[in-house]
Amino acid sequence: MGVGIVNSTEIAEFAVALQEIRDDVTNAELIDTISALEDMKSAACAAQAVISAQFESAVREERRQRGTPADRWSKGISAQIALARKESPHRGGHLLGQARILTEDMPHTLNLLRTGHLNEWRTSLIIKEIICLDRDDRRHIDEQLCADPETLRGLGDTAVRGKAYTLAVERDCAAIVERARKAPNQRCVTSRPAPDSMAYLTALLPMKDAVAVHATLSRDADTIICTEDVVERSKNQIMADLLLERCTGVSAASASPVEVVIVISDESLLAGGTAPAHVKGYGPIPAAIARDIIAHSVTSEAVTTLRKLYSTPVTGAITAMESTARAFPKSLARLIDLRDRWCRTPYCNAPIRHHDHITPHHAGGPTSAHNGAGLCEACNYTKETPGWSSRSDNPPGTLHSFELITPTGHRYRSTADRTPTPLHLNREAS
Ligand SMILES: [Zn+2]
């Protein structure tokens, strides 16, 4: 694949050359080099956008010539770009959409990215503000904002976004208002890990609702502070406790009535071991915190269930399990969920929604933990499109691993994480 006069091998050689940083240069030259490298990163992002759009056009054209129905011409293209860029499939879709807009409608913005006047992040901020406009309006704003590099010189993220937004409102206020009216459809609640066994619960709400929720929690926390004789909690802590109580129906001091799945080694659970435990949907937590959570749920009214998972002591691989059915039975599906934790497509962080046969059932693939992989909905859908396949190539008893093969013949390895294993066995294995 050529990029101007440079091909992928030459780019890789240049990247290797960057590992050797000279130490016989002045401080001014060091700063110049940092700056030149930054420009090069932007230029690389511009080249990736152009190449991604070119790849999409080429694949769509091949499919058109082959007589593929038009609604399937784009299937799986962004997923291949995501794997090549080591990004999640979701982000791959955004990047391809951005590449298309840049190459088709925004030549000046693309040029500023190529020359290092914009980086990929700021380019994405501009595109987000004008994506709801029609092609003529995008081209007009592209020219107004980016034809002259001086317009954006020295501007940070907020200023760049503000300029793009102002131009968008001036050009087509109705489209911006329409987008704002549709925005409440995006409302959602998500959670993501925070350091120290904490997690962020984020709600994206219409502004007036978010303000109302926050104001209600704040007002009620103030009431508690005023009426309680001894207040040991801060206002922030009381607000967080009230949120939990009102969502789960139980007080913060009781156990949550919803299942929390913790995978922990027997040594960490029973003998004070320090190997971290894994919480499904969250990630690793210290063994002591896991023991606290389990001990607390045992002493409260919560139902605590202990299930044994057998794993190979040295590799930490979960022991195989097999079924004669075509669909994965519940216990086998649960075993795959605990082993895989997230969608098994490399770089995908989405929760598991499907249990896929690595070697398809119709090709003789058994319904087993070894031949099964947890995938999210989008990745399962992509894998079903022509040209994609996967191949299991590791013997049972080792960490579960398979190769994902894309239509261009590129291979990406997906390896499951170790199950929580007593630390002394980890040390013996390494
Ligand atoms: Zn996925």
Side-chain angles (χ1 to χ4, degrees), residues 89 343 345 348 350 375-376 378-379:
C343 171
T345 300
C348 187
L375 293 179
C376 74
C379 291

